[in-house]
Amino acid sequence: MFALKSIQLAIQPLIRCPLNKIVIKTMATKATPKKSVMNIKSSSPPSATSSSVYNPSKSDYDAVDDAIWRSGERVPYLAFATTLKTIEETSGRLKMIEILSNYFRSVIALSADDLIKSVYLCLNKVCPDYEGLEMGIGESLIIKAIAAATGRKVDQIKAEIEKKGDMGIVAELSRTNQKTLFAPPKLSVANVFDKFKQITQMSGNSTQAKKVEMIQSMLVACRECEARYLVRSLTGKLRIGLAEQSLLQALTQAVVLHNNVKMKRSSDKFKAEVAKHSLILKTAYCECPNYDRIIPVILEHGIEALPTHCQLTPGIPLKPMLAHPSKGVDEVLRRFDKSKFTCEYKYDGERAQIHYVGNGSVLIFSRNQENNTSKYPDIIKRMPNCITDEVKDFIIDCEAVAWDQQQKQILPFQVLSTRKRKNAEEGDIKIQVCLYVFDLLYLNGESLVAEPLSKRRDLLRAHFKSVEGEFTFAHSSDVNTLDEIQEFLEESIKGKCEGLMVKTLDVDASYEIAKRSKKWLKLKKDYLEGVGDTLDLVVIGGYRGKGKRTGVYGGYLLACYDDGTEEFQSICKIGTGFKDEDLENLANSLNEHVIDKPKSYYNYDESLRPDVWFDAVQVWEVKCADLSLSPVHKAAIGFVNDDKGISLRFPRYLRLRDDKKPDMATTASQVSEMYKNQEQIKAGNDDDDDEDDY
Ligand code: AMP
């Protein structure tokens, strides 16, 4: 008894010392545990009491005393599986994070070398995403392995899976039927992980028997709930209900508590420390999504050292910056208020993060950091033509868009999706792509993510060359008024894009990867579909067309009808939605109704005076994105506001309503109702809550 206590006392200071020191010492220390380590023969059925031995949900969890293994030992897979089980039985996210962090605390304190493998197992991964090895063994192989491990029949197992809907549970229950003579060695996190990795690395039919054998050997060794999580992991469907961001949070908590053993979870100090460190960790992880690099730095130097040790590196894909959806031009203007911003076309293709590594090799990663290099041999080949001589290495952010070489125009995303996904041969490529580059994240040895977009964009334009149909800078315009944005949005849609990306240029304009960001807003064309109801409006004036529309009208002035005052009140100018033949036909028919001055019952503002006035004869059906108060238009004036009318935003012509007479047009009171309904909806929906983008 004395001996046990004194060894424990001896290891305590080692365990509580900073991470960099314990890594080496705890692994070298052989100490006897205070209480017996769980040792259940594999032949024994799961017992209710045995799993309660490891309880990572204890509120006063002690990283050493509450662990079920000794310092320097490999982490038992049972501790890991029990942690997952406990998480699964918990409903609140915060408590789940706490449970996982307690498990990590013990791993750090006792067997820090197993931390990387524990993290990968939690994520159901065996390597960083970009290395492309994925868990996901076919069901039939796993069923074979369960049958071989338990002596049960394949059909019986299949029927039970059908009934229970969870292969993991079936594997766990199957274990109880088994009787083995000798207990196989217990599973550890390290050997399970290593076997998982080997299994995912094996390819080809000839390896199937070997895979079954390996799975079988692990299943035979399973205790308690281990088989459930082992099988779920193998199928690639672990799904413990904690996303990667929560795992990073749990890891941060574990490190903070490891370094401050006395700190209480409920204290403000703990919360502040976790907030500070989790941002550092998340940022590092976004720039370098590779736990094999990050975790050794945390263990050796602490989270604070991550920015200096784990930086953006060509060859390692970073998490891309994501945009926040916007509810319209109003929101864009409100959010960006006084800061300068730019609007770029939002191309509809596939995101391509292109890395040019110093030695001349080019790598292309998808939005989810998958390696897409072999999909795009054509892009790889053209890259040297798109860079200037001073470029040594870089990371750029682009959209690869299907391109019609004959017509010299963008093709829809559906066309791009028919391209071969892997190992494409340049000669076989039928779908050409043009790259639209919109950001520069790394250049000549320097990370640019902290620089404002204006600087990144200047550097991009200075160091890269546009090549028609191959490599082009995203079309942009540094507009700032509502009308300009509106016009540019319409232009983008005519240019076969999805809408606009609106981005801050100078203030608060870094390439934001770790935090949810509203520095990029997307303004999609669906926004133009906004108001479900259409309006029937009367044409009262025309503006002569220029360029392509010379000889016809380029735009028209529309009005609603106020049945109280019997006047036609201007509601919008319209120039979108017309086919060429519409422009021709409408101009011909309206030219028969030209009048030399506006009718006394036309209510309009002088600033909108058209080139030509028409008699109120034609009604058009029009759709719009939304309705807004207008200082110039007169529709429904006095209904909502005494001095302002209502106007339509992004009006689009749908069709001529020759079944309607002008006094059957949408009335002023209907317009005001539509406006009010929409405001109510907005008030209800317009929550500014951040969405979790990751
Ligand atoms: P969404 O997929 O709707 O969330 O929109 C964001 C995606 O738009 C990005 O991930 C890019 O793939 C794509 N995109 C197209 N054009 C641009 C652009 N100019 N700037 C940023 N992203 C763009």
Side-chain angles (χ1 to χ4, degrees):
M1 192 61 205
F2 172 73
L4 174 73
K5 228 186 168 115
S6 56
I7 292 170
Q8 267 186 337
L9 286 173
I11 64 163
Q12 292 298 329
L14 291 180
I15 290 160
R16 308 301 186 188
C17 68
L19 283 167
N20 51 348
K21 305 211 176 68
I22 61 115
V23 182
I24 310 139
K25 290 185 179 166
T26 52
M27 293 307 288
T29 309
K30 273 270 166 252
T32 316
K34 196 157 76 179
K35 60 176 177 272
S36 66
V37 174
M38 195 166 29
N39 189 6
I40 305 147
K41 283 215 167 79
S42 74
S43 54
S44 58
S47 80
T49 49
S50 53
S51 62
S52 63
V53 173
Y54 185 52
N55 180 10
S57 75
K58 264 181 85 173
S59 52
D60 55 348
Y61 184 87
D62 185 286
V64 177
D65 293 346
D66 289 318
I68 52 164
W69 71 99
R70 294 178 293 184
S71 170
E73 282 183 353
R74 304 251 68 154
V75 179
Y77 187 65
L78 184 61
F80 173 76
T82 311
T83 304
L84 298 194
K85 187 166 180 249
T86 318
I87 289 174
E88 212 183 337
E89 288 161 357
T90 305
S91 51
R93 202 176 75 95
L94 293 181
K95 185 67 190 174
M96 290 180 179
I97 293 175
E98 182 185 322
I99 295 168
L100 187 59
S101 74
N102 284 340
Y103 165 76
F104 285 151
R105 283 168 63 200
S106 292
V107 177
I108 294 171
L110 303 171
S111 322
D113 281 358
D114 282 349
L115 186 59
I116 300 179
K117 292 176 182 179
S118 290
V119 165
Y120 276 128
L121 285 181
C122 283
L123 296 168
N124 208 186
K125 291 178 186 172
V126 289
C127 59
D129 290 334
Y130 61 90
E131 287 181 11
L133 278 183
E134 270 179 39
M135 296 287 290
I137 311 296
E139 276 200 10
S140 59
L141 283 195
I142 298 175
I143 293 174
K144 266 191 207 160
I146 299 176
T150 60
R152 297 184 72 196
K153 294 212 162 49
V154 165
D155 287 349
Q156 202 187 351
I157 299 170
K158 275 190 186 159
E160 205 168 326
I161 293 172
E162 184 94 333
K163 209 161 94 197
K164 297 238 168 354
D166 181 341
M167 212 191 259
I169 296 277
V170 173
E172 183 181 348
L173 292 173
S174 302
R175 290 276 318 121
T176 55
N177 299 338
Q178 203 198 3
K179 299 271 178 292
T180 51
L181 223 45
F182 302 105
K186 287 172 202 152
L187 296 176
S188 71
V189 159
N191 65 32
V192 168
F193 175 84
D194 294 343
K195 286 214 171 120
F196 280 0
K197 191 153 186 175
Q198 278 175 38
I199 292 173
T200 50
Q201 278 165 335
M202 291 190 229
S203 57
N205 285 346
S206 59
T207 61
Q208 295 209 343
K210 179 78 189 141
K211 282 185 191 168
V212 172
E213 194 188 304
M214 287 174 75
I215 298 170
Q216 179 195 345
S217 75
M218 287 191 282
L219 282 172
V220 166
C222 278
R223 298 175 288 163
E224 302 191 45
C225 61
E226 285 180 330
R228 185 191 315 184
Y229 297 99
L230 190 103
V231 162
R232 282 193 195 160
S233 299
L234 285 164
T235 56
K237 293 175 188 151
L238 184 60
R239 296 189 191 134
I240 53 168
L242 273 187
E244 197 154 21
Q245 291 302 300
S246 302
L247 178 136
L248 291 171
Q249 190 75 7
L251 196 55
T252 312
Q253 289 188 4
V255 174
V256 168
L257 287 174
H258 181 87
N259 288 330
N260 306 275
V261 236
K262 294 242 166 67
M263 207 179 254
K264 289 266 169 295
R265 281 186 179 273
S266 54
S267 68
D268 289 345
K269 181 104 181 36
F270 173 74
K271 286 175 193 149
E273 284 286 292
V274 168
K276 183 175 101 185
H277 287 97
S278 89
L279 183 59
I280 303 176
L281 175 56
K282 286 177 184 175
T283 308
Y285 183 67
C286 287
E287 291 194 21
C288 175
N290 183 337
Y291 292 107
D292 301 295
R293 287 181 172 230
I294 285 181
I295 289 179
V297 174
I298 298 180
L299 292 174
E300 203 165 325
H301 307 285
I303 289 182
E304 267 161 341
L306 283 171
T308 40
H309 288 80
C310 292
Q311 290 162 342
L312 208 58
T313 316
I316 299 183
L318 65 151
K319 298 258 174 191
M321 179 158 174
L322 299 173
H324 199 273
S326 77
K327 298 186 183 88
V329 182
D330 268 348
E331 187 186 352
V332 169
L333 291 173
R334 182 159 46 86
R335 280 208 191 276
F336 292 160
D337 193 19
K338 291 181 188 71
S339 26
K340 250 179 108 182
F341 60 87
T342 185
C343 294
E344 288 173 1
Y345 279 12
K346 183 178 189 308
Y347 297 92
D348 193 7
E350 177 178 52
R351 196 152 183 172
Q353 196 182 90
I354 304 185
H355 292 229
Y356 184 60
V357 187
N359 59 15
S361 74
V362 177
L363 292 157
I364 302 175
F365 296 102
S366 75
R367 175 183 171 138
N368 301 322
Q369 298 88 58
E370 288 139 1
N371 194 332
N372 264 348
T373 311
S374 71
K375 179 174 179 180
Y376 291 117
D378 44 345
I379 294 183
I380 311 276
K381 192 168 161 207
R382 76 177 64 142
M383 276 330 286
N385 305 332
C386 311
I387 52 179
T388 56
D389 293 341
E390 312 89 75
V391 174
K392 294 182 189 66
D393 53 13
F394 65 76
I395 304 175
I396 50 174
D397 209 352
C398 322
E399 190 81 350
V401 184
W403 178 256
D404 181 336
Q405 277 180 323
Q406 264 80 50
Q407 304 292 321
K408 296 197 185 314
Q409 64 175 19
I410 285 173
L411 293 168
F413 170 74
Q414 287 71 12
V415 176
L416 181 73
S417 61
T418 60
R419 231 178 114 125
K420 201 171 166 206
R421 285 170 189 278
K422 278 198 162 72
N423 306 322
E425 293 290 335
E426 212 199 326
D428 299 338
I429 291 174
K430 296 197 178 58
I431 311 298
Q432 302 304 321
V433 291
C434 178
L435 278 177
Y436 287 90
V437 52
F438 51 82
D439 221 316
L440 174 63
L441 314 176
Y442 188 96
L443 181 69
N444 295 344
E446 256 182 76
S447 167
L448 300 172
V449 289
E451 301 293 345
L453 176 60
S454 54
K455 179 166 178 194
R456 303 199 304 273
R457 195 171 68 170
D458 287 349
L459 287 168
L460 179 70
R461 291 179 181 169
H463 289 83
F464 291 78
K465 296 182 284 191
S466 175
V467 180
E468 204 208 355
E470 294 194 3
F471 183 94
T472 318
F473 301 112
H475 188 46
S476 69
S477 174
D478 300 354
V479 291
N480 36 52
T481 67
L482 191 140
D483 283 347
E484 286 168 338
I485 302 178
Q486 180 159 327
E487 227 170 85
F488 199 54
L489 175 60
E490 284 178 17
E491 217 181 272
S492 79
I493 285 149
K494 280 185 212 142
K496 308 229 179 323
C497 288
E498 270 192 301
L500 298 179
M501 293 292 269
V502 193
K503 304 177 179 179
T504 44
L505 270 174
D506 295 314
V507 180
D508 218 9
S510 57
Y511 190 88
E512 192 71 69
I513 39 190
K515 277 191 295 186
R516 300 159 203 155
S517 171
K518 288 189 178 162
K519 295 172 184 174
W520 285 8
L521 293 179
K522 53 188 176 193
L523 194 54
K524 285 205 188 179
K525 69 175 162 208
D526 315 343
Y527 162 67
L528 295 174
E529 305 289 335
V531 176
D533 283 347
T534 56
L535 294 95
D536 296 321
L537 301 171
V538 181
V539 195
I540 58 170
Y543 303 89
R544 289 203 182 89
K546 297 187 196 110
K548 270 191 181 168
R549 292 194 178 174
T550 308
V552 290
Y553 294 100
Y556 293 93
L557 184 63
L558 301 186
C560 69
Y561 181 61
D562 185 338
D563 49 2
T565 58
E566 295 186 352
E567 61 181 17
F568 291 98
Q569 301 170 328
S570 88
I571 188 164
C572 66
K573 282 185 182 180
I574 187 167
T576 311
F578 303 101
K579 295 193 204 84
D580 287 348
E581 66 258 33
D582 291 332
L583 287 171
E584 192 84 40
N585 295 341
L586 293 171
N588 288 341
S589 63
L590 283 164
N591 281 340
E592 291 174 18
H593 300 281
V594 172
I595 49 179
D596 41 347
K597 55 180 186 356
K599 298 282 188 193
S600 57
Y601 45 85
Y602 287 2
N603 191 351
Y604 66 97
D605 186 272
E606 263 314 305
S607 64
L608 297 165
R609 179 175 274 276
D611 297 323
V612 176
W613 290 104
F614 302 123
D615 201 356
V617 287
Q618 256 185 33
V619 178
W620 292 354
E621 187 175 350
V622 167
K623 201 167 169 83
C624 70
D626 61 17
L627 298 95
S628 59
L629 282 180
S630 162
V632 287
H633 286 289
K634 304 292 182 190
I637 192 159
F639 279 78
V640 179
N641 184 296
D642 284 347
D643 308 315
K644 288 183 180 167
I646 291 170
S647 69
L648 305 188
R649 201 162 297 159
F650 297 95
R652 274 182 308 133
Y653 171 84
L654 292 181
R655 64 189 175 114
L656 177 68
R657 291 294 306 259
D658 40 16
D659 54 329
K660 281 203 165 181
K661 297 210 169 70
D663 60 0
M664 292 158 80
T666 302
T667 63
S669 79
Q670 286 170 329
V671 169
S672 81
E673 281 312 305
M674 284 173 89
Y675 172 81
K676 284 185 207 151
N677 288 343
Q678 162 205 288
E679 289 306 293
Q680 256 170 13
I681 293 167
K682 267 198 205 160
N685 286 344
D686 197 7
D687 54 280
D688 277 349
D689 281 349
D690 283 340
E691 288 163 25
D692 210 341
D693 286 328
Y694 294 99

